[in-house]
Amino acid sequence: MKNVSARLKDIAVYLPETVLGNDELANLYPEWPAEKILEKTGISERRIASEHQTAGDMAYEAARNLFAQGEVAAQDVDFIILCTQAPDYVLPTTACVLQDRLGLSRQAGALDINLGCSGFVYGLSLAKGLIETGAARCVLLLTADTYSKYIHPLDKSVRTLFGDAAAATAVMASEDAEEAIGPFVFGTDGAGAKNLIVEAGMYRVPKSCDTSIEKTDDSGNVRSRENLYMNGADVMAFSLKEVPKAADALLVKAEKTKENIDFFVLHQANKFMLQALRKKLKIEENKLPILMNDIGNTVSSTIPLALFKMREHGMLTERKKLMLIGFGVGYSWSACLLNWQPKR
Amino acid sequence: MSIEKFIENFAEAVDVTPTEVTADLKYKDHPQWDSMAVLSVIAMVDEYYSTVLTGEEIETLETVRDLYQHVSK
């Protein structure tokens, strides 16, 4: 069998229309003026999906944008992966619904993966596996999430941080033998599950009168067990511990050094976390982009959105060696190298 | 690292004037202590002491001296 390699062909994004700015948040939280929110989080606004707009809807729009960009044709897609933690239905699989909505081939495979911040890099690993084993030739990797629908309106700890968005990435087979995506390292620590969680609503803790009871924490944030909860301190500690280790392990695996890497594209959690990681990784500022000030933390879409913005800003006009690191809810993390090739 | 240096780093991390920070300061009682301060201390301690503090440790300890002694171990 002739060797094929998986290659990232194109990326498109979709941002919902509604904007949640810092002024609006400042009105809800009197001791948190807009400037303080911006200063602490690096976020000035985020997008919020409308009431009846699902993650699946946003993934649909991102895919349509991708096909409109002209590098990938809908009829060429033979596998769809949707990464989301807010599927349209309990079942069936939202990716199956999208196959129909997008008019994709009925010979295409489709599946959902339930991951958050690490989801894009995991998705790339699956796409690479499918392509390099000859199981698929054109993978449509969709990331889409609506964390806003899990967040209590009076929980400023997470409401200031998260935004909704979707991205569509085409990973395609290339006869070029040079590895464009990989190697990968993975990591999982389920002991951290309780630190970033929507606890109630599925089978471990079914919804009940008790789970809907709203409680106020020591910082004045309100939530019930049916809402998103994040232990910021522990998530920060986890990130500081594991991300540098993953980066080092990947460099060893790839037989490369930090100096060989042009850009470190990390999951765009918030500016403070990224700056702390940059210092710990000992990377120059211009090598670790922070591009989420107008969208916030868009979960599995942060990395493709960052790549999209980097391309728009002219940072990817030549061949570049990138390290992508997704990390967060799970805890789950993954890192890979990506050889970016600009369109010819 | 000396406790004086720790106090200096602590003040900088939490964004308060150094004169407001003493070894006996019960940091959780300081009016500017909030969830961002917790993250800042975790990041500062990691940067200067190569130790990752947990939120629970910060919650359980009381004074700046307690933190210093804990990370100096």
Side-chain angles (χ1 to χ4, degrees):
Chain A
M1 188 176 72
K2 206 166 130 190
N3 273 349
V4 289
S5 68
R7 197 157 287 287
L8 196 157
K9 193 83 200 300
D10 199 11
I11 300 179
V13 303
Y14 171 78
L15 299 177
E17 280 178 23
T18 306
V19 176
L20 174 61
N22 287 350
D23 290 324
E24 193 182 329
L25 288 170
N27 288 338
L28 288 168
Y29 315 128
E31 344 74 60
W32 263 67
E35 316 78 54
K36 191 171 176 189
I37 296 175
L38 175 60
E39 184 204 324
K40 301 283 190 178
T41 63
I43 304 168
S44 56
E45 60 184 47
R46 21 6 240 135
R47 298 297 183 96
I48 305 295
S50 62
E51 192 191 339
H52 301 292
Q53 184 177 38
T54 67
D57 289 331
M58 296 197 300
Y60 170 85
E61 298 296 341
R64 298 274 295 162
N65 289 343
L66 181 70
F67 301 139
Q69 282 173 195
E71 295 287 316
V72 187
Q75 61 258 33
D76 291 340
V77 174
D78 60 2
F79 210 97
I80 308 145
I81 300 175
L82 169 66
C83 176
T84 187
Q85 299 193 301
D88 279 6
Y89 306 107
V90 172
L91 55 100
T93 307
T94 306
C96 295
V97 175
L98 286 170
Q99 173 278 331
D100 183 53
R101 288 181 66 182
L102 290 167
L104 304 179
S105 165
R106 282 191 282 122
Q107 269 64 59
L111 53 85
D112 288 355
I113 63 172
N114 181 331
L115 281 172
C117 327
S118 62
F120 181 73
V121 184
Y122 272 86
L124 284 181
S125 77
L126 298 177
K128 177 186 166 82
L130 287 164
I131 288 171
E132 293 183 6
T133 54
R137 287 191 63 83
C138 179
V139 178
L140 177 63
L141 172 57
L142 301 168
T143 55
D145 236 314
T146 52
Y147 267 32
S148 65
K149 295 183 196 289
Y150 293 129
I151 290 173
H152 192 289
L154 296 177
D155 186 348
K156 70 177 185 290
S157 74
V158 287
R159 201 161 175 218
T160 45
L161 294 177
F162 289 98
D164 299 334
T169 301
V171 185
M172 293 174 66
S174 158
E175 314 309 321
D176 192 340
E178 186 204 350
E179 187 179 54
I181 305 178
F184 283 83
V185 298
F186 302 107
T188 307
D189 185 3
K194 61 192 184 314
N195 291 321
L196 190 38
I197 190 168
V198 175
E199 202 194 351
M202 297 298 272
Y203 294 96
R204 179 59 64 204
V205 183
K207 279 193 186 180
S208 66
C209 298
D210 175 76
T211 64
S212 64
I213 296 172
E214 292 174 338
K215 299 195 179 145
T216 308
D217 69 15
D218 295 335
S219 306
N221 297 309
V222 182
R223 69 180 76 85
S224 77
R225 293 167 78 189
E226 294 167 18
N227 295 122
L228 181 74
Y229 164 68
M230 182 174 74
N231 181 332
D234 279 357
V235 174
M236 175 97 183
F238 146 74
S239 306
L240 287 172
K241 246 180 71 183
E242 298 298 346
V243 172
K245 276 184 355 195
D248 287 340
L250 180 61
L251 288 172
V252 166
K253 196 168 182 180
E255 294 177 337
K256 294 267 179 279
T257 67
K258 266 190 317 219
E259 289 68 33
N260 299 137
I261 309 297
D262 295 307
F263 293 109
F264 293 79
V265 187
L266 268 54
H267 162 62
Q268 309 270 295
N270 64 74
K271 188 169 86 163
F272 183 74
M273 167 101 81
L274 288 172
Q275 286 173 334
L277 281 169
R278 187 183 62 74
K279 279 193 235 171
K280 192 162 182 180
L281 290 165
K282 296 189 183 30
I283 303 169
E284 307 93 75
E285 236 179 278
N286 60 350
K287 281 175 84 160
L288 199 150
I290 301 178
L291 295 166
M292 25 85 67
N293 72 300
D294 59 347
I295 47 177
N297 178 343
T298 55
V299 199
S300 52
S301 296
T302 69
I303 292 175
L305 271 162
L307 291 172
F308 185 86
K309 285 182 175 221
M310 288 167 70
R311 188 174 64 184
E312 287 212 308
H313 293 169
M315 294 161 77
L316 297 173
T317 50
E318 297 166 346
R319 293 176 72 112
K320 296 284 181 193
K321 194 173 264 320
L322 312 178
M323 179 183 293
L324 312 183
I325 314 180
F327 55 95
V329 57
Y331 294 136
S332 167
W333 62 99
S334 179
C336 73
L337 294 188
L338 175 68
N339 286 333
W340 181 276
Q341 280 177 316
K343 284 180 244 185
R344 268 163 275 262
Chain B
M1 189 189 292
S2 66
I3 191 167
E4 290 79 26
K5 189 73 187 144
F6 182 84
I7 289 171
E8 207 182 297
N9 292 333
F10 184 93
E12 195 193 328
V14 178
D15 199 22
V16 298
T17 45
T19 45
E20 287 182 61
V21 183
T22 63
D24 292 310
L25 171 70
K26 289 190 177 171
Y27 48 86
K28 281 169 280 172
D29 294 338
H30 191 287
Q32 243 163 280
W33 184 260
D34 61 8
S35 54
M36 256 330 278
V38 176
L39 298 187
S40 304
V41 169
I42 290 175
M44 180 277 284
V45 164
D46 180 57
E47 189 179 350
Y48 291 109
Y49 296 85
S50 305
T51 301
V52 184
L53 274 180
T54 63
E56 204 183 320
E57 285 167 330
I58 295 179
E59 187 57 37
T60 317
L61 296 165
E62 298 233 345
T63 65
V64 174
R65 177 178 290 113
D66 291 341
L67 281 175
Y68 171 70
Q69 285 171 345
H70 185 77
V71 304
S72 304
K73 269 189 277 207

